[in-house]
Amino acid sequence: MTRTSRSNPTPASDSTFSDIGSRNGRIFHVLDPRQFDRGRLDELCALATRMRQYAKSRLGSRSFQTLLPHKRAMLYFTQPSTRTFLSFENACHLLGIRTSEIRDPAVSSEVKGESFEDSIRTFSSYADVIIMRTQGPGMASQSAALMDRIGRPVPIINAGSGRDHHPTQALLDIYTLGRSFEQRGGIDGKTIGLMGDLRRGRTVRSLAYLMKNYKDVRLIFIAPEEFAMEEDIKQDLRTADIAFDETDDPASVLADLDAIYITRLQKEHDLQDESSSFDHLRFRIGPEQLPSLRSDAVIMHPLPRGPELDPAVDDDPRAMYWRQERNGMWMRVALLVSIFEVDGELPR
Ligand code: CP
């Protein structure tokens, strides 16, 4: 194991990032996981739980429909997605928001040469919020800057941008961790292993960024050297004084973990054939690894999965990844309620 020590005892200044996307101290655009401090995370998690409780009753569920029927959402997903798309779409519909979608640039006027910015500006003529997944990094931020520049009050939500960020996935992961550790003092003090293609996995990158909001958390990055976590994340953790270790030997750390977060090989980002060197037999959770995990450990995966997560694990009570999917819809409901500032209209 390579031990990476805490090198900077100065806590991160959230003021550096908390202004990203915010308006009057509230969330507006959702672009980067670093814009969420502990207060915002706790508020969103509590709101997601409140909303799902109300939804259990017919009256509560019906009252959701009256919250945002005057709003329209554009779902612009030009990179493949199942659960992020569907959970946002269903979150919108639960709140009465009408949705439009483009899932393939080949069916938009981009194919005729319309620029990305002109396309976003066009969506903002019809929609009150644009939720976007893009192949490349930085496109949500570029869109938010465009909206701000032309003075159009349309929030942009980053639903996954290339290799760099997936902030709403990180929010639902925090929500899932918090619920899983509800009876064990929450996320503070927990040891969390992140395993797989850490270099190119935007979900693990975004989740690692959020960990600086929790006290005495220890992260263990578990990956072959070629797929190790990138330096920008490690530097951010050092600055925030979050302890982390790195190892290429999963067996040596499984018993230490309160949670293991597995991620798939991101073959779509191969420049040549880098993925062929990844050892799926070594960096995986299957029936043979389960006895090494603690009886109260939590097994998470953003899905979709590959060979790194054996379907035989699905029946294990420690498997949380199907709950993650469902939690994602409620976290996205909470986010939309918060962005459109209708949380005050909910019954207490
Ligand atoms: N976790 C996740 O982003 O899944 P999809 O790619 O299916 O949206």
Side-chain angles (χ1 to χ4, degrees):
M1 169 175 287
T2 310
R3 171 77 190 165
T4 310
S5 62
R6 297 171 188 225
S7 62
N8 183 346
T10 311
S13 163
D14 281 327
S15 63
T16 319
F17 298 108
S18 59
D19 288 344
I20 300 173
S22 72
R23 293 263 171 98
N24 303 321
R26 291 188 64 105
I27 305 163
F28 188 71
H29 302 301
V30 177
L31 305 173
D32 184 307
R34 288 169 291 186
Q35 70 191 83
F36 295 93
D37 60 17
R38 178 67 181 262
R40 276 185 177 159
L41 292 170
D42 288 349
E43 269 170 35
L44 281 170
C45 291
L47 185 56
T49 297
R50 264 171 77 199
M51 298 295 290
R52 75 196 303 166
Q53 294 297 341
Y54 296 142
K56 287 184 181 159
S57 78
R58 199 167 165 186
L59 199 63
S61 182
R62 203 181 286 157
S63 73
F64 284 2
Q65 297 285 320
T66 64
L67 283 174
L68 293 165
H70 54 305
K71 298 293 181 191
R72 295 180 298 264
M74 175 70 201
L75 292 137
Y76 178 58
F77 275 60
T78 55
Q79 199 194 31
S81 167
T82 298
R83 65 222 84 230
T84 310
F85 178 84
L86 287 174
S87 61
F88 264 121
E89 186 182 48
N90 281 286
C92 287
H93 293 171
L94 278 164
L95 296 168
I97 301 174
R98 282 162 292 162
T99 54
S100 307
E101 65 184 66
I102 287 183
R103 303 203 63 180
D104 180 355
V107 299
S108 82
S109 283
E110 284 176 87
V111 84
K112 296 180 237 168
E114 185 159 55
S115 70
F116 173 72
E117 288 208 351
D118 282 0
S119 301
I120 299 298
R121 190 170 183 150
T122 301
F123 302 154
S124 73
S125 298
Y126 308 121
D128 302 292
V129 56
I130 300 172
I131 303 164
M132 57 194 301
R133 169 169 289 193
T134 56
Q135 188 71 31
M139 294 168 88
S141 300
Q142 183 186 350
S143 306
L146 172 68
M147 292 299 105
D148 294 347
R149 197 167 69 238
I150 64 175
R152 204 160 272 182
V154 175
I156 303 290
I157 301 181
N158 178 357
S161 51
R163 281 169 50 173
D164 65 346
H165 286 307
H166 195 345
T168 65
Q169 175 75 42
L171 293 176
L172 77 90
D173 292 337
I174 288 292
Y175 184 44
T176 304
L177 285 167
R179 284 173 76 81
S180 303
F181 298 138
E182 213 160 19
Q183 308 303 322
R184 295 169 54 196
I187 300 173
D188 294 328
K190 299 296 182 292
T191 298
I192 298 168
L194 303 173
M195 182 169 83
D197 184 352
L198 306 184
R199 184 164 67 87
R200 306 179 298 180
R202 59 192 174 197
T203 63
V204 277
R205 286 173 52 78
S206 289
L207 182 58
Y209 269 130
L210 284 188
M211 283 304 159
K212 70 178 176 198
N213 291 292
Y214 297 89
K215 286 191 214 107
D216 300 324
V217 163
R218 178 178 165 227
L219 296 179
I220 304 183
F221 298 138
I222 309 162
E225 205 178 334
E226 316 85 272
F227 297 91
M229 185 58 87
E230 294 222 86
E231 191 53 34
D232 61 334
I233 305 283
K234 293 192 271 189
Q235 190 51 47
D236 201 65
L237 293 172
R238 287 187 198 106
T239 304
D241 198 24
I242 298 293
F244 67 89
D245 298 322
E246 294 184 276
T247 182
D248 61 3
D249 180 14
S252 68
V253 294
L254 287 184
D256 296 342
L257 304 178
D258 293 294
I260 179 150
Y261 190 105
I262 313 147
T263 189
R264 75 181 166 84
L265 190 57
Q266 308 284 310
K267 282 186 196 161
E268 64 271 36
H269 297 302
D270 274 5
L271 296 175
Q272 291 177 329
D273 189 24
E274 301 93 295
S275 294
S276 61
S277 68
F278 192 89
D279 186 352
H280 269 118
L281 291 177
R282 193 167 154 85
F283 297 91
R284 78 187 293 269
I285 295 293
E288 59 284 14
Q289 284 80 23
L290 288 177
S292 303
L293 287 168
R294 286 170 29 180
S295 60
D296 57 359
V298 173
I299 303 168
M300 292 173 65
H301 193 302
L303 302 175
R305 66 175 145 199
E308 72 285 346
L309 178 59
D310 194 308
V313 178
D314 294 4
D315 297 332
D316 192 290
R318 295 168 289 185
M320 289 295 149
Y321 32 92
W322 301 114
R323 289 191 198 183
Q324 260 172 285
E325 285 192 334
R326 187 110 185 118
N327 289 342
M329 183 178 76
W330 291 111
M331 177 49 78
R332 287 164 177 139
V333 164
L335 203 52
L336 290 163
V337 163
S338 191
I339 288 170
F340 288 118
E341 301 188 47
V342 288
D343 35 334
E345 295 175 31
L346 296 167
R348 283 273 152 203

